Amino acid sequence: MHELSLSVSLIEQATEILKQESGGRVLALTLDVGVLSGVSPEALQFCFPQAAHGTALEKCLLKINEIPLLVYCSDCQAEEQVEGPYPLCPSCQGVDVAVRKGREFNIVSMEIE
Ligand SMILES: [Zn+2]
């Protein structure tokens, strides 16, 4: 399950930030997870506590902001939120779209004790 290795790398990132902030324990971690990131928020919630065991993030609250897919269509200049994994323009069904949001997988904020 790749959410476990993602959890491990999140904890590494958070630990680095913690060092810079010279903080103690992490109480809460907030993430942006885009629908195109390939990450399942449920699986992440399940794996994270296992990966966090014995680290400064043990028992920390994991908050996940699910970011919907937002595309920009260069045919009709529409910027629209779309459902489903295929970025098609909802206005003109054009395929000449650029993904504006939905690929995020990053730490937004940390609450440090
Ligand atoms: Zn369009």
Side-chain angles (χ1 to χ4, degrees):
M1 199 184 290
H2 86 141
E3 277 77 5
L4 186 57
S5 57
L6 288 171
S7 298
V8 171
S9 73
L10 277 176
I11 289 161
E12 283 169 358
Q13 283 177 50
T15 306
E16 276 305 306
I17 299 169
L18 204 57
K19 271 186 206 160
Q20 290 158 23
E21 306 277 331
S22 52
R25 282 171 29 81
V26 179
L27 302 177
L29 190 68
T30 306
L31 306 175
D32 272 355
V33 176
V35 292
L36 286 190
S37 66
V39 179
S40 155
E42 292 76 25
L44 196 61
Q45 288 286 11
F46 179 77
C47 292
F48 188 83
Q50 303 171 28
H53 188 77
T55 74
L57 284 83
E58 187 165 6
K59 297 193 172 71
C60 106
L61 180 67
L62 188 62
K63 299 176 190 170
I64 298 177
N65 300 327
E66 292 186 52
I67 310 296
L69 178 57
L70 190 77
V71 297
Y72 173 77
C73 173
S74 42
D75 287 335
C76 68
Q77 276 86 48
E79 192 173 61
E80 307 237 20
Q81 190 172 314
V82 293
E83 300 291 331
Y86 304 108
L88 271 185
C89 173
S91 299
C92 72
Q93 309 303 314
V95 291
D96 197 7
V97 294
V99 174
R100 284 283 163 90
K101 281 185 180 167
R103 292 202 173 106
E104 294 79 0
F105 182 68
N106 49 267
I107 297 173
V108 187
S109 66
M110 269 168 59
E111 206 177 299
I112 299 169
E113 191 177 58

